[in-house]
Amino acid sequence: QVQLVQSGAEVKKPGASVKVSCKASGYTFSGYYIHWVRQAPGQGLEWMGWINPNSGDTKYAQKFQGWVIMTRDTAISTAYMEVNRLTSDDTAVYYCVRQDRSGWDFDYWGQGTLVTVSS
Amino acid sequence: QSALTQPASVSGSPGQSITISCTGTSSDAGVYKYVSWYQQHPDKAPKLMIYDVSHRPSGVPDRFSGSKSGNTASLTISGLQAEDEADYFCSSYTGSTVVFGGGTKLTVL
């Protein structure tokens, strides 16, 4: 069965960086885009960007360009999302999600990784 | 890219029907068929309920339906059940990116 398993919760200080991993299983990793979506406490969903695991091509929401980096390691079917220069506004649950092959919906979600930014 | 507009909250009694709207622009929901709806229970990851405006994934009850008119997509839940109480989010493709709605809290009275 399809699974996206993310790394554990992180606590970081302002100005630091965090890298979240997302290990895929149960399907061909290179065949489906991976997106990252975050959700601040009590807030809505915010789309951050996608990575094509096959080519490594990425597309970021304008807000995240220049300080979020998405990468992947096809050998271990894992996607990564790194956020730099963290501020308290980046405290959120970060989800990796699989894009359905034929559309732009998200059919499988990781369990989420809570990143807390606090001094 | 501005978020899609959803009502903050809706409510209904068990057995009733409710509709949640999701208003975008001619750059997203108004021009693309790629509108999706997600259900999120507290402290859980969202779950896909509707894709491509009106299609249900396998396992989603047929009480859930989707439609679109112009720039506004809608999610209708008929025969409300207690377990439908959750947050609902819409999303739309925008040409190269994705945008979400602000979310709607559904309360089953």
Side-chain angles (χ1 to χ4, degrees), chain A residues 39 44 47 50 59 104-106, chain B residues 36 38 40 93 96-98:
Chain A
Q39 186 172 34
W47 181 81
W50 54 253
K59 177 70 175 181
W104 283 84
D105 51 278
F106 305 137
Chain B
S36 306
Y38 301 88
Q40 186 179 35
Y93 177 61
S96 60
T97 64
V98 174

Side-chain angles (χ1 to χ4, degrees), chain A residues 35 37 39 43-47 50 59-60 95 102-107 109-110, chain B residues 34 36 38 40 44-48 51-52 89 91 93 96-98 100-102:
Chain A
H35 296 239
V37 176
Q39 186 172 34
Q43 302 301 308
L45 303 174
E46 184 174 29
W47 181 81
W50 54 253
K59 177 70 175 181
Y60 302 104
Y95 293 101
S102 60
W104 283 84
D105 51 278
F106 305 137
D107 56 359
W109 293 64
Chain B
Y34 301 118
S36 306
Y38 301 88
Q40 186 179 35
K44 298 291 187 183
K47 173 188 175 183
L48 178 66
Y51 67 96
D52 294 356
F89 297 90
S91 74
Y93 177 61
S96 60
T97 64
V98 174
F100 282 99

Side-chain angles (χ1 to χ4, degrees), chain B residues 20-34:
Chain B
I20 300 172
S21 62
C22 169
T23 301
T25 70
S26 57
S27 297
D28 41 61
V31 69
Y32 295 105
K33 71 172 186 175
Y34 301 118

Side-chain angles (χ1 to χ4, degrees), chain A residues 29-87:
Chain A
F29 178 65
S30 59
Y32 297 77
Y33 283 25
I34 291 288
H35 296 239
W36 290 88
V37 176
R38 76 177 185 180
Q39 186 172 34
Q43 302 301 308
L45 303 174
E46 184 174 29
W47 181 81
M48 301 179 69
W50 54 253
I51 183 166
N52 178 342
N54 186 47
S55 65
D57 289 344
T58 55
K59 177 70 175 181
Y60 302 104
Q62 188 171 8
K63 170 180 180 177
F64 297 103
Q65 287 179 4
W67 57 289
V68 169
I69 302 172
M70 297 177 188
T71 56
R72 92 294 189 215
D73 185 337
T74 56
I76 57 172
S77 300
T78 299
Y80 302 93
M81 191 274 307
E82 182 173 19
V83 184
N84 299 300
R85 305 190 301 276
L86 288 163
T87 72

Side-chain angles (χ1 to χ4, degrees), chain A residues 40 49 51 53 56 80 83 89 91 94 98 103 111 119:
Chain A
I51 183 166
Y80 302 93
V83 184
D89 289 342
T91 293
Y94 290 77
R98 191 185 84 161
Q111 84 275 20
S119 55

